[in-house]
Amino acid sequence: MVNVNENFLKLQAGYLFPEIGRRVRAFSTTNPTAKIIRLGIGDVTEPLAPAVIEAMHKAVDKMAVKESFHGYDDGGRGYDFLLDAIIENDFGSRSVEIDRSEVFVSDGSKCDTGNFQEVFGIDNVIAVTDPVYPVYVDTNVMAGRTGTALDQGKYGGIVYMPCTEENDFTPELPDEKVDIIYLCYPNNPTGAVATKEQLKKWVDYARKNKSVILFDAAYEAFITDKSIPHSIYEVPGAKEVAVEFRSYSKTAGFTGIRCAYTIVPKELKAYKKDGQSVDINPIWNRRHCTKFNGVSFITQAGAAAIYSAEGKKQVKKIIDIYMSNASVIRQSLTKLGYTVYGGVNAPYVWLKTPEGVGSWEFFDVLLQKANVVGTPGAGFGAAGEGYFRLSAFNYPAVVEEAMERIAKL
Ligand SMILES: *Cc1c(COP(=O)(O)O)cnc(C)c1O
């Protein structure tokens, strides 16, 4: 008899986006002529930058010729041309020194943030923000690092750190000692950012408690405020305690291409039960190269093109479109009397639902009266109740129309 991994049975059935899909389908069935505008799921809408397309076409042609054909890259960690572009442009430009051996190219940050917990022991206490990107939690549930589901979608054994208006959506240090801390800034879903001082607080905590920070920087390209760090390694000492995840998905519209990378510093340590320290970089290298065989040459060529002079300009123009959408959403809702957060350094606007209206109730009103789909804050965690996420990923004219409809509510 084959046993099932019962940890998977702890996962809650009503996952956020399927539930949204169910409600939208039910509404469409009874209102087949309604023109629904989707500002829900965070997926990009603009086509790829021309420089990326050109580089990928060229890469395809190289694959057709014996002399320039590419097979596996060395160990599946990324071609040097991409590693060097990453090191120079994403880190060197911010005075952060990163070595090739610290960069691991992959097919997405969802898998990287989900997989990374594998290299840590099962007894670690994990801490997540509330609201949170569900991947961090669910992958720890699958691994058996949590208890069963409690009410409000929480799991036993996880430390939840509320992010509210009072703390500017950046969590307080936990009272109890935690070992693995997931942070995502600029934040999905709240659109909040962390200052260098706030990140320093976490780096100091992790150094003092021998913890690790898993830092998701998927939205760093949307930062407009010059004082906000793009990388956690801009905080001195962070390389001893932090892993950083970057993705081309939102940065360069790669959600359908698939390319990301993770930085695992050589200084990063975890500890054996007897207290002896162990380097994590070689362990992640072993994990990565055992279970993954690299991103396609064509994709990596496309990713490297983002760092060319033309590529940078083109990608920036696309990001500006989304950020202009975010600004339109912010301004329209503010004019209507809503309290809004985010949308300045992130493509998400986090609005407060009207007094006494729950976030799923607000979802239903918006769907039925304005035919606009957003994401209920409660779907990201208990502290998200009373909030609602609108995504700036859509065409400007569509965003304008959505705002006009909401104004008529
Ligand atoms: C979109 C997103 C990612 C990127 O995931 P990919 O697998 O690289 O597409 C990572 N983290 C967060 C919080 C995101 O919203």
mmCIF file of all heavy atoms in Angstrom, residues 42-43 106-113 132-136 184-189 216-219 245-250 254-256 258-261 348 389 393, ligand 1:
data_model
loop_
_atom_site.group_PDB
_atom_site.id
_atom_site.type_symbol
_atom_site.label_atom_id
_atom_site.label_comp_id
_atom_site.label_asym_id
_atom_site.label_seq_id
_atom_site.Cartn_x
_atom_site.Cartn_y
_atom_site.Cartn_z
ATOM 1 N N GLY A 42 -1.785 39.088 -10.808
ATOM 2 C CA GLY A 42 -0.668 39.932 -11.230
ATOM 3 C C GLY A 42 0.083 39.343 -12.405
ATOM 4 O O GLY A 42 1.164 38.784 -12.242
ATOM 5 N N ASP A 43 -0.495 39.457 -13.583
ATOM 6 C CA ASP A 43 0.232 39.012 -14.780
ATOM 7 C C ASP A 43 0.369 40.185 -15.740
ATOM 8 O O ASP A 43 -0.539 41.005 -15.857
ATOM 9 C CB ASP A 43 -0.509 37.858 -15.461
ATOM 10 C CG ASP A 43 0.376 37.107 -16.462
ATOM 11 O OD1 ASP A 43 1.554 37.501 -16.633
ATOM 12 O OD2 ASP A 43 -0.110 36.143 -17.071
ATOM 13 N N SER A 106 17.331 30.345 -12.993
ATOM 14 C CA SER A 106 16.270 29.330 -12.948
ATOM 15 C C SER A 106 15.107 29.735 -13.840
ATOM 16 O O SER A 106 15.161 30.761 -14.507
ATOM 17 C CB SER A 106 15.767 29.181 -11.515
ATOM 18 O OG SER A 106 14.887 30.253 -11.224
ATOM 19 N N ASP A 107 14.068 28.927 -13.809
ATOM 20 C CA ASP A 107 12.897 29.238 -14.639
ATOM 21 C C ASP A 107 11.801 29.945 -13.859
ATOM 22 O O ASP A 107 10.670 30.038 -14.325
ATOM 23 C CB ASP A 107 12.360 27.963 -15.302
ATOM 24 C CG ASP A 107 11.932 26.917 -14.291
ATOM 25 O OD1 ASP A 107 12.160 27.131 -13.078
ATOM 26 O OD2 ASP A 107 11.370 25.888 -14.687
ATOM 27 N N GLY A 108 12.100 30.482 -12.687
ATOM 28 C CA GLY A 108 11.089 31.272 -11.993
ATOM 29 C C GLY A 108 11.367 31.443 -10.514
ATOM 30 O O GLY A 108 11.976 30.577 -9.883
ATOM 31 N N SER A 109 10.910 32.563 -9.986
ATOM 32 C CA SER A 109 11.070 32.805 -8.550
ATOM 33 C C SER A 109 10.011 32.072 -7.738
ATOM 34 O O SER A 109 10.184 31.873 -6.541
ATOM 35 C CB SER A 109 10.958 34.300 -8.245
ATOM 36 O OG SER A 109 12.162 34.933 -8.520
ATOM 37 N N LYS A 110 8.914 31.701 -8.383
ATOM 38 C CA LYS A 110 7.924 30.936 -7.625
ATOM 39 C C LYS A 110 8.558 29.623 -7.204
ATOM 40 O O LYS A 110 8.501 29.248 -6.027
ATOM 41 C CB LYS A 110 6.675 30.675 -8.469
ATOM 42 C CG LYS A 110 5.554 30.048 -7.670
ATOM 43 C CD LYS A 110 4.398 29.639 -8.553
ATOM 44 C CE LYS A 110 3.077 29.866 -7.854
ATOM 45 N NZ LYS A 110 1.935 29.532 -8.712
ATOM 46 N N CYS A 111 9.218 28.942 -8.145
ATOM 47 C CA CYS A 111 9.861 27.674 -7.754
ATOM 48 C C CYS A 111 11.045 27.921 -6.833
ATOM 49 O O CYS A 111 11.243 27.177 -5.877
ATOM 50 C CB CYS A 111 10.256 26.823 -8.954
ATOM 51 S SG CYS A 111 10.375 27.647 -10.499
ATOM 52 N N ASP A 112 11.829 28.963 -7.076
ATOM 53 C CA ASP A 112 12.985 29.211 -6.207
ATOM 54 C C ASP A 112 12.559 29.506 -4.769
ATOM 55 O O ASP A 112 13.105 28.929 -3.825
ATOM 56 C CB ASP A 112 13.822 30.378 -6.747
ATOM 57 C CG ASP A 112 14.609 29.996 -8.001
ATOM 58 O OD1 ASP A 112 14.690 28.794 -8.310
ATOM 59 O OD2 ASP A 112 15.153 30.906 -8.658
ATOM 60 N N THR A 113 11.580 30.406 -4.605
ATOM 61 C CA THR A 113 11.137 30.716 -3.242
ATOM 62 C C THR A 113 10.473 29.490 -2.616
ATOM 63 O O THR A 113 10.549 29.283 -1.415
ATOM 64 C CB THR A 113 10.143 31.906 -3.197
ATOM 65 O OG1 THR A 113 9.051 31.639 -4.081
ATOM 66 C CG2 THR A 113 10.812 33.201 -3.603
ATOM 67 N N VAL A 132 0.464 37.702 2.953
ATOM 68 C CA VAL A 132 1.674 37.067 2.413
ATOM 69 C C VAL A 132 1.414 36.455 1.038
ATOM 70 O O VAL A 132 0.281 36.083 0.706
ATOM 71 C CB VAL A 132 2.162 35.980 3.407
ATOM 72 C CG1 VAL A 132 1.176 34.811 3.473
ATOM 73 C CG2 VAL A 132 3.558 35.474 3.053
ATOM 74 N N TYR A 133 2.483 36.355 0.237
ATOM 75 C CA TYR A 133 2.464 35.598 -1.030
ATOM 76 C C TYR A 133 2.321 34.123 -0.626
ATOM 77 O O TYR A 133 3.188 33.595 0.079
ATOM 78 C CB TYR A 133 3.792 35.862 -1.737
ATOM 79 C CG TYR A 133 4.014 35.253 -3.102
ATOM 80 C CD1 TYR A 133 3.116 35.436 -4.145
ATOM 81 C CD2 TYR A 133 5.186 34.540 -3.357
ATOM 82 C CE1 TYR A 133 3.375 34.901 -5.401
ATOM 83 C CE2 TYR A 133 5.445 34.002 -4.618
ATOM 84 C CZ TYR A 133 4.532 34.191 -5.634
ATOM 85 O OH TYR A 133 4.791 33.668 -6.876
ATOM 86 N N PRO A 134 1.240 33.447 -1.009
ATOM 87 C CA PRO A 134 0.915 32.121 -0.452
ATOM 88 C C PRO A 134 1.983 31.040 -0.668
ATOM 89 O O PRO A 134 2.038 30.072 0.089
ATOM 90 C CB PRO A 134 -0.375 31.735 -1.180
ATOM 91 C CG PRO A 134 -0.928 33.007 -1.737
ATOM 92 C CD PRO A 134 0.223 33.919 -1.967
ATOM 93 N N VAL A 135 2.845 31.207 -1.665
ATOM 94 C CA VAL A 135 3.865 30.195 -1.983
ATOM 95 C C VAL A 135 4.771 29.888 -0.777
ATOM 96 O O VAL A 135 5.100 28.733 -0.515
ATOM 97 C CB VAL A 135 4.733 30.671 -3.170
ATOM 98 C CG1 VAL A 135 5.858 29.698 -3.467
ATOM 99 C CG2 VAL A 135 3.861 30.872 -4.404
ATOM 100 N N TYR A 136 5.161 30.930 -0.047
ATOM 101 C CA TYR A 136 6.081 30.730 1.086
ATOM 102 C C TYR A 136 5.458 29.797 2.121
ATOM 103 O O TYR A 136 6.129 28.940 2.684
ATOM 104 C CB TYR A 136 6.428 32.051 1.785
ATOM 105 C CG TYR A 136 6.776 33.223 0.900
ATOM 106 C CD1 TYR A 136 6.468 34.525 1.305
ATOM 107 C CD2 TYR A 136 7.410 33.051 -0.324
ATOM 108 C CE1 TYR A 136 6.778 35.624 0.526
ATOM 109 C CE2 TYR A 136 7.722 34.159 -1.114
ATOM 110 C CZ TYR A 136 7.393 35.434 -0.692
ATOM 111 O OH TYR A 136 7.690 36.525 -1.465
ATOM 112 N N CYS A 184 9.264 40.154 1.405
ATOM 113 C CA CYS A 184 9.074 40.486 -0.007
ATOM 114 C C CYS A 184 8.883 41.991 -0.118
ATOM 115 O O CYS A 184 7.870 42.526 0.326
ATOM 116 C CB CYS A 184 7.837 39.751 -0.540
ATOM 117 S SG CYS A 184 7.348 40.242 -2.213
ATOM 118 N N TYR A 185 9.892 42.668 -0.678
ATOM 119 C CA TYR A 185 9.804 44.127 -0.879
ATOM 120 C C TYR A 185 10.461 44.527 -2.184
ATOM 121 O O TYR A 185 11.569 44.067 -2.433
ATOM 122 C CB TYR A 185 10.463 44.870 0.301
ATOM 123 C CG TYR A 185 9.595 44.770 1.529
ATOM 124 C CD1 TYR A 185 9.909 43.861 2.535
ATOM 125 C CD2 TYR A 185 8.435 45.533 1.638
ATOM 126 C CE1 TYR A 185 9.078 43.726 3.644
ATOM 127 C CE2 TYR A 185 7.601 45.402 2.746
ATOM 128 C CZ TYR A 185 7.934 44.502 3.742
ATOM 129 O OH TYR A 185 7.111 44.362 4.824
ATOM 130 N N PRO A 186 9.793 45.377 -2.984
ATOM 131 C CA PRO A 186 8.428 45.886 -2.859
ATOM 132 C C PRO A 186 7.440 44.724 -2.714
ATOM 133 O O PRO A 186 7.627 43.689 -3.328
ATOM 134 C CB PRO A 186 8.200 46.657 -4.163
ATOM 135 C CG PRO A 186 9.571 47.062 -4.618
ATOM 136 C CD PRO A 186 10.455 45.946 -4.186
ATOM 137 N N ASN A 187 6.404 44.968 -1.914
ATOM 138 C CA ASN A 187 5.557 43.873 -1.481
ATOM 139 C C ASN A 187 4.379 43.572 -2.410
ATOM 140 O O ASN A 187 3.711 44.462 -2.916
ATOM 141 C CB ASN A 187 5.016 44.192 -0.076
ATOM 142 C CG ASN A 187 4.293 43.020 0.531
ATOM 143 O OD1 ASN A 187 3.073 42.965 0.553
ATOM 144 N ND2 ASN A 187 5.049 42.048 0.999
ATOM 145 N N ASN A 188 4.190 42.296 -2.619
ATOM 146 C CA ASN A 188 2.946 41.771 -3.153
ATOM 147 C C ASN A 188 2.272 41.110 -1.959
ATOM 148 O O ASN A 188 2.886 40.217 -1.371
ATOM 149 C CB ASN A 188 3.232 40.737 -4.252
ATOM 150 C CG ASN A 188 1.978 40.078 -4.768
ATOM 151 O OD1 ASN A 188 0.883 40.539 -4.495
ATOM 152 N ND2 ASN A 188 2.141 39.001 -5.510
ATOM 153 N N PRO A 189 1.106 41.517 -1.526
ATOM 154 C CA PRO A 189 0.105 42.332 -2.214
ATOM 155 C C PRO A 189 0.034 43.820 -1.828
ATOM 156 O O PRO A 189 -0.674 44.553 -2.506
ATOM 157 C CB PRO A 189 -1.189 41.668 -1.748
ATOM 158 C CG PRO A 189 -0.897 41.266 -0.338
ATOM 159 C CD PRO A 189 0.550 40.847 -0.341
ATOM 160 N N ASP A 216 12.506 38.199 -1.242
ATOM 161 C CA ASP A 216 11.919 38.150 -2.585
ATOM 162 C C ASP A 216 11.873 39.572 -3.146
ATOM 163 O O ASP A 216 11.113 40.412 -2.669
ATOM 164 C CB ASP A 216 10.510 37.542 -2.484
ATOM 165 C CG ASP A 216 9.868 37.301 -3.841
ATOM 166 O OD1 ASP A 216 10.347 37.850 -4.850
ATOM 167 O OD2 ASP A 216 8.863 36.561 -3.881
ATOM 168 N N ALA A 217 12.707 39.825 -4.156
ATOM 169 C CA ALA A 217 12.789 41.169 -4.748
ATOM 170 C C ALA A 217 12.213 41.171 -6.166
ATOM 171 O O ALA A 217 12.702 41.881 -7.043
ATOM 172 C CB ALA A 217 14.232 41.653 -4.734
ATOM 173 N N ALA A 218 11.175 40.392 -6.381
ATOM 174 C CA ALA A 218 10.587 40.257 -7.721
ATOM 175 C C ALA A 218 10.130 41.591 -8.314
ATOM 176 O O ALA A 218 10.017 41.724 -9.525
ATOM 177 C CB ALA A 218 9.407 39.277 -7.679
ATOM 178 N N TYR A 219 9.857 42.569 -7.439
ATOM 179 C CA TYR A 219 9.320 43.847 -7.926
ATOM 180 C C TYR A 219 10.308 45.003 -7.821
ATOM 181 O O TYR A 219 9.912 46.164 -7.911
ATOM 182 C CB TYR A 219 8.017 44.178 -7.173
ATOM 183 C CG TYR A 219 6.928 43.175 -7.481
ATOM 184 C CD1 TYR A 219 6.693 42.091 -6.638
ATOM 185 C CD2 TYR A 219 6.170 43.284 -8.634
ATOM 186 C CE1 TYR A 219 5.719 41.147 -6.945
ATOM 187 C CE2 TYR A 219 5.195 42.356 -8.944
ATOM 188 C CZ TYR A 219 4.971 41.280 -8.100
ATOM 189 O OH TYR A 219 4.010 40.354 -8.402
ATOM 190 N N PHE A 245 15.932 36.619 -4.131
ATOM 191 C CA PHE A 245 15.272 36.077 -5.322
ATOM 192 C C PHE A 245 14.919 37.220 -6.269
ATOM 193 O O PHE A 245 14.317 38.202 -5.850
ATOM 194 C CB PHE A 245 13.997 35.339 -4.931
ATOM 195 C CG PHE A 245 14.225 34.235 -3.931
ATOM 196 C CD1 PHE A 245 14.028 34.456 -2.573
ATOM 197 C CD2 PHE A 245 14.659 32.983 -4.344
ATOM 198 C CE1 PHE A 245 14.246 33.449 -1.639
ATOM 199 C CE2 PHE A 245 14.889 31.962 -3.418
ATOM 200 C CZ PHE A 245 14.680 32.192 -2.065
ATOM 201 N N ARG A 246 15.295 37.062 -7.526
ATOM 202 C CA ARG A 246 14.955 38.055 -8.545
ATOM 203 C C ARG A 246 14.275 37.329 -9.697
ATOM 204 O O ARG A 246 14.593 36.168 -9.972
ATOM 205 C CB ARG A 246 16.222 38.724 -9.090
ATOM 206 C CG ARG A 246 16.974 39.578 -8.083
ATOM 207 C CD ARG A 246 16.335 40.949 -7.939
ATOM 208 N NE ARG A 246 17.186 41.829 -7.153
ATOM 209 C CZ ARG A 246 17.908 42.838 -7.651
ATOM 210 N NH1 ARG A 246 17.923 43.058 -8.953
ATOM 211 N NH2 ARG A 246 18.625 43.604 -6.860
ATOM 212 N N SER A 247 13.392 38.026 -10.391
ATOM 213 C CA SER A 247 12.663 37.400 -11.493
ATOM 214 C C SER A 247 12.518 38.377 -12.650
ATOM 215 O O SER A 247 12.359 39.577 -12.432
ATOM 216 C CB SER A 247 11.280 36.975 -11.012
ATOM 217 O OG SER A 247 10.492 36.573 -12.106
ATOM 218 N N TYR A 248 12.585 37.879 -13.863
ATOM 219 C CA TYR A 248 12.336 38.729 -15.033
ATOM 220 C C TYR A 248 10.849 38.775 -15.377
ATOM 221 O O TYR A 248 10.448 39.435 -16.332
ATOM 222 C CB TYR A 248 13.139 38.216 -16.234
ATOM 223 C CG TYR A 248 14.633 38.251 -15.988
ATOM 224 C CD1 TYR A 248 15.364 37.087 -15.798
ATOM 225 C CD2 TYR A 248 15.303 39.468 -15.914
ATOM 226 C CE1 TYR A 248 16.722 37.120 -15.544
ATOM 227 C CE2 TYR A 248 16.666 39.515 -15.649
ATOM 228 C CZ TYR A 248 17.369 38.352 -15.467
ATOM 229 O OH TYR A 248 18.703 38.393 -15.197
ATOM 230 N N SER A 249 10.025 38.065 -14.599
ATOM 231 C CA SER A 249 8.593 37.962 -14.925
ATOM 232 C C SER A 249 7.908 39.312 -14.986
ATOM 233 O O SER A 249 7.277 39.662 -15.988
ATOM 234 C CB SER A 249 7.887 37.086 -13.896
ATOM 235 O OG SER A 249 8.151 35.735 -14.159
ATOM 236 N N LYS A 250 8.011 40.091 -13.910
ATOM 237 C CA LYS A 250 7.331 41.381 -13.862
ATOM 238 C C LYS A 250 8.261 42.463 -14.402
ATOM 239 O O LYS A 250 7.821 43.390 -15.061
ATOM 240 C CB LYS A 250 6.888 41.712 -12.429
ATOM 241 C CG LYS A 250 6.322 40.540 -11.644
ATOM 242 C CD LYS A 250 5.020 40.003 -12.190
ATOM 243 C CE LYS A 250 4.673 38.608 -11.693
ATOM 244 N NZ LYS A 250 4.819 38.306 -10.285
ATOM 245 N N PHE A 254 8.399 38.579 -18.551
ATOM 246 C CA PHE A 254 8.800 37.196 -18.847
ATOM 247 C C PHE A 254 7.877 36.137 -18.251
ATOM 248 O O PHE A 254 8.279 34.983 -18.136
ATOM 249 C CB PHE A 254 10.226 36.950 -18.330
ATOM 250 C CG PHE A 254 11.316 37.232 -19.336
ATOM 251 C CD1 PHE A 254 11.287 38.371 -20.129
ATOM 252 C CD2 PHE A 254 12.391 36.354 -19.492
ATOM 253 C CE1 PHE A 254 12.303 38.635 -21.043
ATOM 254 C CE2 PHE A 254 13.406 36.606 -20.407
ATOM 255 C CZ PHE A 254 13.366 37.751 -21.187
ATOM 256 N N THR A 255 6.656 36.492 -17.870
ATOM 257 C CA THR A 255 5.813 35.481 -17.217
ATOM 258 C C THR A 255 5.563 34.284 -18.132
ATOM 259 O O THR A 255 5.421 33.166 -17.662
ATOM 260 C CB THR A 255 4.472 36.081 -16.736
ATOM 261 O OG1 THR A 255 3.853 36.761 -17.833
ATOM 262 C CG2 THR A 255 4.675 37.064 -15.602
ATOM 263 N N GLY A 256 5.548 34.537 -19.440
ATOM 264 C CA GLY A 256 5.351 33.432 -20.389
ATOM 265 C C GLY A 256 6.646 32.898 -20.980
ATOM 266 O O GLY A 256 6.614 31.956 -21.783
ATOM 267 N N ARG A 258 9.719 32.625 -18.821
ATOM 268 C CA ARG A 258 10.233 31.946 -17.636
ATOM 269 C C ARG A 258 11.748 32.102 -17.449
ATOM 270 O O ARG A 258 12.542 31.376 -18.041
ATOM 271 C CB ARG A 258 9.893 30.434 -17.624
ATOM 272 C CG ARG A 258 8.472 30.049 -17.934
ATOM 273 C CD ARG A 258 7.459 30.689 -17.022
ATOM 274 N NE ARG A 258 7.772 30.476 -15.624
ATOM 275 C CZ ARG A 258 7.557 31.397 -14.673
ATOM 276 N NH1 ARG A 258 7.050 32.583 -14.963
ATOM 277 N NH2 ARG A 258 7.880 31.135 -13.445
ATOM 278 N N CYS A 259 12.146 33.069 -16.661
ATOM 279 C CA CYS A 259 13.549 33.189 -16.272
ATOM 280 C C CYS A 259 13.651 34.032 -14.992
ATOM 281 O O CYS A 259 12.958 35.044 -14.850
ATOM 282 C CB CYS A 259 14.384 33.809 -17.390
ATOM 283 S SG CYS A 259 16.161 33.564 -17.161
ATOM 284 N N ALA A 260 14.491 33.566 -14.107
ATOM 285 C CA ALA A 260 14.692 34.229 -12.817
ATOM 286 C C ALA A 260 16.077 33.849 -12.316
ATOM 287 O O ALA A 260 16.787 33.091 -12.987
ATOM 288 C CB ALA A 260 13.624 33.774 -11.816
ATOM 289 N N TYR A 261 16.463 34.400 -11.185
ATOM 290 C CA TYR A 261 17.699 33.914 -10.574
ATOM 291 C C TYR A 261 17.668 34.128 -9.066
ATOM 292 O O TYR A 261 16.880 34.929 -8.557
ATOM 293 C CB TYR A 261 18.939 34.570 -11.206
ATOM 294 C CG TYR A 261 19.091 36.057 -10.961
ATOM 295 C CD1 TYR A 261 19.725 36.528 -9.818
ATOM 296 C CD2 TYR A 261 18.611 36.983 -11.872
ATOM 297 C CE1 TYR A 261 19.877 37.894 -9.602
ATOM 298 C CE2 TYR A 261 18.755 38.345 -11.664
ATOM 299 C CZ TYR A 261 19.390 38.789 -10.524
ATOM 300 O OH TYR A 261 19.523 40.141 -10.315
ATOM 301 N N TYR A 348 1.101 47.393 -7.477
ATOM 302 C CA TYR A 348 -0.133 47.038 -6.779
ATOM 303 C C TYR A 348 -0.624 48.186 -5.918
ATOM 304 O O TYR A 348 0.176 48.831 -5.236
ATOM 305 C CB TYR A 348 0.080 45.808 -5.885
ATOM 306 C CG TYR A 348 0.464 44.575 -6.668
ATOM 307 C CD1 TYR A 348 1.701 43.986 -6.487
ATOM 308 C CD2 TYR A 348 -0.411 44.025 -7.598
ATOM 309 C CE1 TYR A 348 2.065 42.860 -7.214
ATOM 310 C CE2 TYR A 348 -0.060 42.904 -8.333
ATOM 311 C CZ TYR A 348 1.175 42.324 -8.135
ATOM 312 O OH TYR A 348 1.523 41.224 -8.861
ATOM 313 N N ARG A 389 -6.774 44.348 -3.254
ATOM 314 C CA ARG A 389 -5.636 44.637 -4.137
ATOM 315 C C ARG A 389 -6.103 44.873 -5.565
ATOM 316 O O ARG A 389 -6.847 44.071 -6.126
ATOM 317 C CB ARG A 389 -4.653 43.456 -4.132
ATOM 318 C CG ARG A 389 -3.340 43.787 -4.867
ATOM 319 C CD ARG A 389 -2.462 42.556 -5.034
ATOM 320 N NE ARG A 389 -2.935 41.736 -6.137
ATOM 321 C CZ ARG A 389 -2.305 40.643 -6.604
ATOM 322 N NH1 ARG A 389 -1.186 40.253 -6.031
ATOM 323 N NH2 ARG A 389 -2.802 39.960 -7.601
ATOM 324 N N PHE A 393 -1.313 45.923 -13.796
ATOM 325 C CA PHE A 393 -0.970 45.203 -15.025
ATOM 326 C C PHE A 393 -2.182 45.094 -15.940
ATOM 327 O O PHE A 393 -2.954 44.135 -15.875
ATOM 328 C CB PHE A 393 -0.446 43.797 -14.699
ATOM 329 C CG PHE A 393 0.873 43.778 -13.990
ATOM 330 C CD1 PHE A 393 1.005 43.159 -12.757
ATOM 331 C CD2 PHE A 393 2.006 44.356 -14.562
ATOM 332 C CE1 PHE A 393 2.233 43.113 -12.105
ATOM 333 C CE2 PHE A 393 3.223 44.321 -13.912
ATOM 334 C CZ PHE A 393 3.347 43.701 -12.684
HETATM 335 C C1 LIG B 1 5.179 37.282 -9.632
HETATM 336 C C2 LIG B 1 5.947 37.004 -8.394
HETATM 337 C C3 LIG B 1 7.130 36.278 -8.453
HETATM 338 C C4 LIG B 1 7.695 35.798 -9.771
HETATM 339 O O1 LIG B 1 7.450 34.475 -9.991
HETATM 340 P P1 LIG B 1 7.997 33.785 -11.306
HETATM 341 O O2 LIG B 1 7.900 32.327 -10.997
HETATM 342 O O3 LIG B 1 9.413 34.231 -11.497
HETATM 343 O O4 LIG B 1 7.105 34.183 -12.438
HETATM 344 C C5 LIG B 1 7.828 36.064 -7.289
HETATM 345 N N1 LIG B 1 7.386 36.545 -6.114
HETATM 346 C C6 LIG B 1 6.261 37.258 -6.024
HETATM 347 C C7 LIG B 1 5.848 37.789 -4.706
HETATM 348 C C8 LIG B 1 5.501 37.501 -7.155
HETATM 349 O O5 LIG B 1 4.368 38.198 -7.052
#
